[in-house]
Amino acid sequence: IEYLDLADVSSRHLDELSGGQRQRAFVAMVLAQDTEYLLLDEPLNNLDVRHQASMMSLLRKTADELGKTVVVVLHDVNVAAAYADHVIAMRDGEVVVQGPPAEVVTEPVLSSVFDAKVRVVDVEGRRVCLWF
């Protein structure tokens, strides 16, 4: 698996790994438990773009091919829009809206959630949130 280069890390302790390697190792440990549900809080922390894409692809495959329920807490709206079946947008600890990305990733919803002007554009068939 390209996900975590085992030859590079197999003989090292977790506290000897980089933040990104450690993050990927933790997710690998969760996957190895083979539970019906995976609950992950910010699994993309400390990962570069290549490893973020690899992580999200792995989680998507886990849901699609293994039939697992994967719940991921993310702060990146664009990642959620690209990979999720269902998005829950929260503000101040309260659910503002939930549903498929097409219903949640909209200018009115995101502008309200973030209390900022947000623009949503279509890029190659995907909704992308712009806030700058």
Side-chain angles (χ1 to χ4, degrees), residues 4-14 16-17 21:
L4 184 62
D5 184 2
L6 295 178
D8 183 43
V9 299
S10 63
S11 64
R12 295 165 53 198
H13 295 281
L14 278 173
E16 297 173 327
L17 301 177
Q21 289 171 323

Side-chain angles (χ1 to χ4, degrees), residues 49-122:
V49 171
R50 177 176 69 106
H51 288 105
Q52 286 182 19
S54 177
M55 171 77 74
M56 292 308 296
S57 292
L58 175 69
L59 296 176
R60 184 76 255 173
K61 284 182 183 178
T62 299
D64 293 341
E65 296 174 13
L66 300 178
K68 308 290 184 182
T69 299
V70 180
V71 177
V72 181
V73 175
L74 296 170
H75 285 94
D76 189 325
V77 174
N78 293 324
V79 173
Y83 290 95
D85 294 325
H86 191 87
V87 175
I88 298 173
M90 300 180 72
R91 181 178 172 144
D92 299 325
E94 301 288 328
V95 174
V96 175
V97 66
Q98 61 178 309
E103 293 177 12
V104 176
V105 182
T106 67
E107 290 179 6
V109 169
L110 296 180
S111 293
S112 172
V113 169
F114 295 121
D115 194 25
K117 182 160 175 56
V118 173
R119 190 165 161 231
V120 175
V121 297
D122 180 77

